[in-house]
Structure formats: C-alpha cells, structure tokens
C-alpha cells in the first residue's frame, strides 16, 4: 500500500503550495505518549525529513513562568532507520526571566524496553533548539531526559519495604489529583537524630527519586553498617512530592500551577498547593512532638548539580553556614560529589531550603544533581549512579551528626 503525506502551506500572497512528500521518509510511524510519565508533545515532519518535537509547557499560576524539558516518549519506526529529532519549545521562563533549557540539555537516555537505558549526547542548534540522532535498534525506542522513575517504580519500592519492621509509611495528605503522599520513616522515632529528605518537587527530576531510593535500600540492608546508622538517626523521606506531575509527564508545576519548591517563606496554600500544606502540617506535628528534623535536604536535578546554600536573615546564619560547609565536605569525601556549592551572595527565597531555615530554624538545603554528566565519575548519570549516591548518603549523615551534634 502506498500512502502519502500531503503538506500544504499558504503563502502570504494567497498562493498555495502542495508538495507531495512520501509518508515518513525518515521511517517514523508514530511517537507514542500514551503511557505513564510520558511527556505531552506534538510533532511534525520537516521537509528535510527531521522530526520536529514540540514539548508542551506547563505554566505557573499568576506568573509568566513556564517550563518544558521533561522528555519521555516512545518512537515507533522502521527497524534500522536513522532518525533526526529536533526539540523545540525549550523557551522556559524561570523566576520571571527567559531561561531556555536548551543550554542545559546535553544528553538524553534511550531504551528499547524502558528498563535498560543508554546515554546519548545531544547537539545544540541555534535558536534554543536541540538535535538528537538515533538509529532504531528495533521497531520501538524510548527516549527520556533521564532514566525515568515512575509512580509504578515508587509503588514497587513501597510494596517491597512495607512489611519491614524498621519502616513506617505514613500518608500525610493528598495531591491535587487525590494521590496519597507518603513519608517513609526508616529507623526508630526515638533515634537521637532525624534527617528529612524530599524528592521530586519537580516532576522531570527523576534523579532525585533514585537518590532517595538508594538511601532507603542502604538503610534497610541487614548489616552492621545499617545498624550503626539507625542507632544514630532516623530518616524521614518524602520520595515523590509532585506525583500528579510525574504521572502526567509534566516538567515543573503541580496541577494548580504552583511550584512546590517555592512559597516556603509563608504558610502553604492548602487549596493551590495541598502537597506542601500536607508536608507543612506533618512538619509542625513533628515539631510539636519534640521531633524536629536536625537536617533537611531537598533533592533536585538541573544542568549544574550544586549544593544550593541559601542565606536568609536568621539569627544563627553563621552556625548554619558552618554546618553546610561540613556537609559539603562530607559529600566530597564519601560520594562522587565534586560540583560545589553556591557563592556567598546566593539566596533563593521561598525554596524549601531557605523557608525551613527561616521559619523553623532547620538546617535545610537544596541539593541539585547534574542531569548531563557526573564529573566525579567522568560518566553520564544513570539510576545506578544516583542509587549509589543515596547509599553513600547514609554514611554522610552518620558522620555529619557525629561531627556537628546539632
Ligand atoms: Zn528542581
């Protein structure tokens, strides 16, 4: 059967051009986004045979901010065909300023089965565009910004640890879409120290969930190391803050257009950001019970991977900065972290790190992970490397509490 694709373009002078182009000169049949965590997009074939991918933005409420950059789709195409994909619509707006994500998008991951992934570098094109060239190893190929961590991955983790006597999983509330938000406690509520971690406030940043999973797995290993860690501290982990966004393949905001790593300088809006309101309620309950976390880390991905040490005007800022310097030092010693921290003028108001320090006096910090490259390993990021990082965090916390004694 011969099928043709007719492209029509109207010129401004009224003429109509109707070139006839053979269907899918590239071998492409379809781009599938009909599955969990797939990124919403539309696409078209350019006359040169390249596939123009237009990711859809998600938008912040009452703000010019918008974000695209989550990539997760499945190509259906002729086995062996070589495809050129061009990503457009990367013109994000961030903190009210144009902030294209193109400059931060240097690699993606591809997979035939959605489980084993291979990194592939991308090429930068003028005008905030990115090119990716792939050869189809078979009739189907997944492409993702980074190795996906889906709701089903979290469900599998929760199922595997739920019955462990060291684990307590508490539902602290629901997302806008009605999904349960879990805080996982590993260890005893009466341990001397408490560390809190949150992952996935921004749905595209799957590396954060892999790090959290690595820590959980390490603390639950039935060995002498784990016993030592849990004798000293309990870990409280919110592994997926923006579940609705993860399910729908969104990039940054929740379903009501709120950034869950903003507005922590004021009480959370229970209607617009129920995910944050639930966490705030949980935190205030912990504080009321005399169990304030001694350290809180908000896990993210970006193109740089710094430790974001913010400096709100709090009475004991110097003490906080000294503790964060200790933390950074331990990260460098015990993990593959080499990226460093933000400079002495840095402040990012409204992030969880800044807000929890300012409002609750908690030593809190945002930890970004470079989504393109791990300099300390000279390798591309992967679920395996992020999990290893999480495993090593178990030691970092032990040493941190030992040294700092907060
Ligand atoms: Zn983020």
């Amino acid at each position: 059967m011969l099928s043709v694709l007719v492209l029509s373009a109207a010129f401004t002078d009224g003429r109509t051009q109707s070139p006839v182009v053979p269907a899918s000169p590239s071998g492409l049949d379809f781009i599938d986004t009909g599955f969990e965590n797939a990124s919403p997009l539309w696409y078209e074939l350019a006359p040169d045979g390249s596939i123009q991918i237009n990711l859809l933005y998600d938008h912040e409420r009452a703000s010019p901010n918008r974000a695209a950059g989550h990539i997760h789709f499945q190509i259906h195409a002729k086995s062996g065909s070589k495809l050129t994909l061009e990503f457009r619509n990367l013109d994000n707006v961030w903190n009210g300023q144009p902030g294209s994500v193109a400059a931060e998008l240097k690699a993606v991951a591809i997979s035939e089965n959605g489980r084993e992934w291979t990194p592939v570098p991308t090429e930068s094109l003028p005008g905030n565009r990115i090119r990716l060239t792939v050869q189809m190893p078979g009739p189907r190929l997944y492409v993702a910004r980074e190795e996906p961590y889906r709701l089903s991955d979290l469900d599998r983790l929760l199922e595997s640890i739920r019955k462990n006597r060291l684990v307590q999983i508490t539902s602290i509330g629901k997302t806008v879409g009605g999904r349960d938000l879990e805080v996982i406690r590993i260890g005893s509520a009466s341990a001397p120290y408490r560390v809190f971690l949150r992952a996935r406030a921004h749905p595209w940043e799957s590396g954060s969930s892999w790090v959290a999973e690595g820590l959980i797995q390490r603390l639950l290993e039935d060995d002498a190391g784990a016993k030592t860690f849990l004798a000293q501290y309990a870990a409280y982990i919110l592994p997926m803050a923006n579940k609705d966004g993860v399910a729908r393949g969104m990039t940054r905001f929740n379903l009501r257009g709120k950034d869950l790593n903003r507005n922590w300088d004021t009480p959370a809006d229970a209607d617009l950001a129920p995910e944050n309101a639930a966490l705030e309620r949980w935190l205030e309950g912990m504080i009321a019970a005399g169990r304030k976390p001694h350290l809180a880390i908000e896990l993210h991905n970006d193109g740089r991977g710094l430790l974001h040490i913010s400096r709100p005007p709090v009475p004991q800022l110097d003490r906080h900065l000294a503790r964060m310097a200790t933390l950074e030092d331990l990260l460098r010693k015990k993990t593959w972290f080499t990226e460093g921290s933000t400079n002495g003028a840095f402040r990012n108001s409204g992030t969880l790190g800044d807000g929890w320090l300012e409002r609750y006096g908690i030593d809190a910090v945002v930890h970004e992970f470079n989504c393109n490259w791990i300099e300390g390993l000279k390798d591309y990021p992967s679920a395996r490397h992020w999990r290893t990082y999480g495993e090593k965090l178990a030691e970092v916390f032990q040493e941190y509490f030992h040294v700092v004694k907060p």
Side-chain angles (χ1 to χ4, degrees), residues 70-86:
H70 175 61
I71 295 169
H72 191 190
F73 54 79
Q74 190 190 39
I75 302 171
H76 297 193
K78 193 161 161 258
S79 187
S81 57
K82 198 170 174 190
L83 305 181
T84 302
L85 290 81
E86 193 184 301

Side-chain angles (χ1 to χ4, degrees), residues 327-347:
L327 178 66
E328 181 178 344
D329 192 44
L330 290 169
L331 291 174
R332 287 176 187 276
K333 277 193 189 127
K334 296 190 176 285
T335 75
W336 43 252
F337 179 78
T338 58
E339 284 78 6
S341 53
T342 46
N343 66 38
F346 181 81
R347 177 147 193 230

Side-chain angles (χ1 to χ4, degrees), residues 201-202 204-205 252 261 298-302 368:
H202 297 149
W204 78 267
E205 297 163 16
R252 190 172 181 101
N261 196 30
E298 165 82 357
L299 305 168
H300 285 259
N301 280 117
D302 69 1
E368 299 278 354

Side-chain angles (χ1 to χ4, degrees), residues 205-394:
E205 297 163 16
S206 56
S208 64
S209 291
W210 290 115
V211 171
E213 179 167 312
L215 174 66
I216 291 166
Q217 303 283 27
R218 177 66 194 94
L219 292 176
L220 293 176
E221 262 177 47
D222 192 12
D223 67 359
K227 285 189 181 72
T228 311
F229 303 142
L230 296 179
Q232 193 195 28
Y233 65 88
Y236 294 81
I237 298 155
L238 202 172
M240 198 178 278
N242 195 334
K243 279 189 171 178
D244 300 340
V246 173
R248 293 179 181 220
M250 292 165 68
T251 297
R252 190 172 181 101
F253 305 109
N254 80 351
L255 291 189
R256 297 212 165 115
K258 295 302 282 184
D259 185 332
L260 299 182
N261 196 30
R262 290 292 183 277
N263 307 120
W264 279 105
D265 47 346
T266 54
D269 185 319
D271 178 44
L272 298 179
E275 298 88 353
N276 280 0
L279 178 55
E280 191 174 272
R281 226 172 21 245
W282 173 84
L283 177 63
E284 290 178 357
M286 290 284 286
I287 293 170
R291 296 199 169 126
K292 181 154 95 172
H294 299 90
L295 175 66
I297 304 185
E298 165 82 357
L299 305 168
H300 285 259
N301 280 117
D302 69 1
R304 299 182 67 203
L306 299 178
L307 199 59
H308 282 205
I309 300 169
S310 197
R311 290 156 171 83
V314 292
Q316 292 184 295
L317 184 62
D318 287 347
R319 189 184 72 179
H320 172 68
L321 296 178
R323 288 174 175 181
M324 293 304 99
T326 301
L327 178 66
E328 181 178 344
D329 192 44
L330 290 169
L331 291 174
R332 287 176 187 276
K333 277 193 189 127
K334 296 190 176 285
T335 75
W336 43 252
F337 179 78
T338 58
E339 284 78 6
S341 53
T342 46
N343 66 38
F346 181 81
R347 177 147 193 230
N348 203 355
S349 300
T351 59
L352 184 144
D354 189 280
W356 282 29
L357 174 61
E358 188 169 34
R359 288 172 61 205
Y360 300 109
I362 294 170
D363 289 306
V365 67
V366 173
H367 191 340
E368 299 278 354
F369 292 89
N370 186 324
C371 65
N372 298 308
W373 187 249
I374 298 176
E375 187 55 34
L377 297 176
K378 303 272 186 230
D379 198 3
Y380 291 97
S382 62
R384 183 167 61 91
H385 290 328
W386 279 320
R387 265 202 306 255
T388 303
Y389 196 93
E391 289 165 15
K392 295 288 180 186
L393 279 180

